[in-house]
Amino acid sequence: MTEPRPDLVIYGSPVSPFVRKVASLCLMKGVPHEVEGVNVFAPPQWFTDISPMKRIPVLRDRSVAEQGTGGTIPDSSAICAYIEKKHPAPALYPAEPMAYAEALFIEEFADTSLAAAGGLGIFRPIFFAVSKGEEPGLDKAREAWAKQLPPLFDVLETRLSGAEFFAGDVLSIADITVTQVMLQIALVAEMPLGGWPSLERHFAAMFARPEIAGPYAAADAIIRKALPSRFDLT
Ligand SMILES: N[C@@H](CCC(=O)N[C@@H](CS)C(=O)NCC(=O)O)C(=O)O
């Protein structure tokens, strides 16, 4: 028997940490969804029309509209907040107000500062160069690993300070987002986290979850075709 077509379509690629973040949230909630490939660097017109910031992911909820901008949501944070409202159980945003705000802050911190350092500083200089048949930008990546990432990891280490989760002692969007964004580095480089023991434990425990590891495996399968092994940045 074939599965019914899911209402939710995530446009993008699992190589994007923001696409994986949305996919992980759907998997943790048991929400049927599919990822439909879009090359954001050479997008078709229909995608440009629904992605004002020319970014992936964009979500379409087919139960709202099948065409046009109706029923579409750009930006992973807006998408995840929508799915939480539509499918409240299990909750992936803490109920307690301060913990809720902490989760939103950590999500934003990961989406911006951490994603810039790991994505623009490490993933892109290595993978984009190798994809074009050029030498990997290891100097830039090593500089990012040595200088940009440590203060960001320090923030995460302090916020965690031995706890299992970032906000309110519950699994939340904060844990999902930090892990998928950090995994962008792991796609191309070894990631020794010995200097940040709480973060190292959190990262390992989150990666042991199939809802995190599954979307990452889809990205890894794509990356390994061009880059068989990971670099040591230390
Ligand atoms: N804040 C956005 C960020 C999305 C984003 O930056 N996506 C990247 C892929 S990882 C992208 O589309 N980049 C296209 C480009 O740089 O032109 C979100 O959370 O969805």
Side-chain angles (χ1 to χ4, degrees), residues 28 164-165 171 204-215:
M28 286 178 183
E164 190 178 354
F165 301 115
L171 174 68
M206 288 300 292
F207 189 60
R209 292 174 183 263
E211 303 92 339
I212 294 286

Side-chain angles (χ1 to χ4, degrees), residues 16-18 21 40-41 54-57 75-77 111 124:
S16 161
F18 308 103
K21 166 188 163 185
V40 72
F41 299 110
K54 300 191 174 27
R55 296 273 189 271
I56 53 171
D75 192 275
S76 65
S77 300
D111 276 351
R124 287 192 182 198

